[in-house]
Amino acid sequence: MIIGDAAYIKKMNRASILKGILKEGMISRAELSKVTALTRATISSQVADLLEEDLVVETQLEHNVVGRKPIMLSLNAEAGYALGIDLAYDEIKFILSDLLGRPIASASIKTPSTDYKEILSLLINYIAMYNEQFQGSRYGIVGIVIAVHGLVASDEVIHYAPRFHWNHIDLKSDLEKTVSNKIFIENNANLSALAERVFIHHETDNLLCATFYKGIGLGMIMNDKFFRGHDGFAGEIGHMIVVPEGHPCNCGNKGCFEKYASESSVFEYLSQKRGMKDVSYQQIEQWLAEGDSEVEELLQKTIYYLSIGLNNMINMYNPDVVVLDSELLRMYPDALNKIKQNLNSKISHYRKLAISSLGRNSCVMGACALAITYFLDVKSLILPNHRTLV
């Protein structure tokens, strides 16, 4: 039983009702009372408020059974929209979703430069464009979440974005001086972890998601919350040392994880070895299909080092679900079993190991999910998986 003042109890009941509606998709008031353990009077009162606010809609269910047709409740997905922005070094991706996380509009542009003022101006222009385009809905754009590939402090200040060479940048404050939307800044790996939790792995409250693209990042959800560490910088596993006195890293150490197991390390090696400026995923896939022994050996070695880091992660955090986000792993035949064969410890425990099916969209989808979470004020958000982006 929830104990507290009336406003707090009402807020908790509202969140419970919204969570029940989201989980079921469509649900009657009677069933909602059962799944939330709230009285029918409470359900009626709260649903009346949600209907008035246009957050919930009623649908009369058509069926052949004799008797009164039940009235079903569902979320009004078009009452507002969430904007997710993936601010990567080579590309800036925008996805605008409805309140069920379904992509409605998208854009992807090449990052013009590393100049902060130029990037800030670009973001302001795109946000204004989306605000104008969707101002006709009841709530417009309910929140904007920007994914940063770097260190984001607990106060949402960008402490360090290595590829942009940004230090102590308050992007949130600078945007809010110009745009009226609520702005949130979050680490990209955290958002990938949230996307896996919200859209795929609904059954867990403890999930790790490691991303292996330009570097290696770790998003951690523990007890259904982001695990951030003291200043918000937890999860920088790319700079965990796996080879003492190994390859030098930009961080100042030698033998860092990302120098041996990231996709960028694979591309860098093949570019140098084969005298090619730009090696593509398609080229690597073709080499694998042709039985290229050098590429096969390189990916096996990458998996070997990946497994070392993965073993460390599992032993440190004892997660329920571990998700690996890598395009190379998705294309490499039987990659998951090859990784599992390297995890021989009798000490480390986890329930499920998976390669992400969301792929490089996980970060920006997680950004949309976080904006929806803040707007609806619902913890443990569960949304259907929308694999196809517009």
Side-chain angles (χ1 to χ4, degrees):
M1 181 178 178
I2 300 174
I3 299 175
D5 61 42
Y8 174 76
I9 292 173
K10 185 175 181 179
K11 178 182 176 181
M12 295 298 292
N13 289 343
R14 176 189 175 95
S16 181
I17 288 168
L18 282 171
K19 182 179 177 182
I21 293 172
L22 284 167
K23 184 177 181 180
E24 299 300 325
M26 293 183 70
I27 189 171
S28 68
R29 286 171 173 78
E31 285 300 314
L32 194 54
S33 178
K34 291 178 183 178
V35 300
T36 60
L38 296 173
T39 66
R40 294 199 177 194
T42 299
I43 295 292
S44 295
S45 175
Q46 290 271 4
V47 166
D49 290 341
L50 292 169
L51 287 168
E52 186 176 351
E53 295 168 29
D54 286 336
L55 286 177
V56 167
V57 292
E58 292 180 316
T59 304
Q60 192 168 60
L61 191 64
E62 297 293 337
H63 60 81
N64 297 323
V65 178
V66 176
R68 186 177 178 182
K69 297 177 181 179
I71 302 297
M72 307 298 286
L73 303 169
S74 59
L75 188 74
N76 182 7
E78 298 178 357
Y81 299 91
L83 180 59
I85 304 174
D86 183 5
L87 186 58
Y89 173 71
D90 54 348
E91 178 186 54
I92 302 176
K93 184 179 292 185
F94 302 82
I95 292 289
L96 188 128
S97 79
D98 64 17
L99 294 183
L100 286 176
R102 295 180 299 212
I104 301 299
S106 68
S108 183
I109 60 170
K110 193 169 184 178
T111 307
S113 76
T114 60
D115 181 73
Y116 175 66
K117 290 184 178 179
E118 187 174 351
I119 298 295
L120 177 64
S121 177
L122 184 152
L123 293 176
I124 289 171
N125 290 336
Y126 267 82
I127 290 169
M129 178 190 73
Y130 282 116
N131 273 327
E132 182 177 0
Q133 188 175 354
F134 292 90
Q135 62 182 342
S137 64
R138 170 71 183 264
Y139 295 99
I141 295 178
V142 301
I144 300 169
V145 176
I146 301 175
V148 173
H149 297 244
L151 299 179
V152 178
S154 299
D155 59 4
E156 297 181 70
V157 170
I158 301 171
H159 179 74
Y160 180 47
R163 293 182 178 271
F164 284 99
H165 304 290
W166 292 352
N167 291 278
H168 303 291
I169 295 292
D170 195 352
L171 177 60
K172 176 185 175 78
S173 178
D174 290 340
L175 282 173
E176 288 180 340
K177 290 174 185 175
T178 305
V179 304
S180 58
N181 311 85
K182 292 183 178 180
I183 305 291
F184 306 95
I185 312 295
E186 187 55 79
N187 171 265
N188 67 298
N190 281 346
L191 292 173
S192 290
L194 181 65
E196 296 291 342
R197 167 67 180 82
V198 168
F199 293 104
I200 306 293
H201 302 282
H202 300 154
E203 75 286 357
T204 183
D205 293 333
N206 294 280
L207 178 147
L208 301 182
C209 179
T211 59
F212 291 88
Y213 297 109
K214 294 297 183 183
I216 301 178
L218 180 66
M220 295 176 282
I221 294 177
M222 296 292 171
N223 298 320
D224 215 22
K225 297 178 181 178
F226 286 137
F227 181 83
R228 302 179 184 277
H230 177 65
D231 294 310
F233 302 155
E236 290 299 315
I237 58 161
H239 300 288
M240 169 175 57
I241 295 173
V242 295
V243 180
E245 295 302 314
H247 301 320
C249 180
N250 292 332
C251 75
N253 280 322
K254 294 180 180 180
C256 288
F257 189 27
E258 68 179 38
K259 303 303 291 184
Y260 293 85
S262 67
E263 291 191 352
S264 59
S265 68
V266 173
F267 284 112
E268 183 179 343
Y269 176 87
L270 289 173
S271 293
Q272 292 176 354
K273 192 74 173 176
R274 307 208 167 182
M276 299 174 63
K277 183 179 179 182
D278 295 310
V279 175
S280 67
Y281 289 108
Q282 292 76 16
Q283 182 66 73
I284 293 177
E285 193 169 25
Q286 181 181 334
W287 285 331
L288 286 171
E290 294 170 351
D292 191 308
S293 59
E294 184 180 39
V295 174
E296 178 72 31
E297 183 179 347
L298 175 61
L299 289 182
Q300 287 182 5
K301 187 177 290 185
T302 300
I303 279 183
Y304 168 75
Y305 286 114
L306 186 155
S307 302
I308 292 175
L310 180 58
N311 186 74
N312 292 339
M313 286 183 263
I314 292 170
N315 281 331
M316 280 190 286
Y317 297 107
N318 182 214
D320 181 32
V321 175
V322 184
V323 181
L324 308 176
D325 189 358
S326 162
E327 193 65 35
L328 288 181
L329 292 181
R330 280 186 286 276
M331 71 171 59
Y332 188 33
D334 206 29
L336 196 59
N337 283 330
K338 288 175 175 137
I339 293 169
K340 289 179 179 179
Q341 288 169 11
N342 283 287
L343 299 176
N344 300 316
S345 173
K346 295 180 181 179
I347 297 173
S348 61
H349 292 280
Y350 61 92
R351 181 179 62 82
K352 184 176 183 179
L353 178 65
I355 295 174
S356 174
S357 60
L358 297 176
R360 302 193 76 154
N361 291 319
S362 64
C363 171
V364 72
M365 290 177 69
C368 290
L370 188 61
I372 295 168
T373 299
Y374 286 144
F375 173 66
L376 296 179
D377 198 14
V378 174
K379 295 181 181 179
S380 303
L381 187 68
I382 293 176
L383 296 175
N385 179 19
H386 311 290
R387 306 241 175 187
T388 304
L389 295 181
V390 294

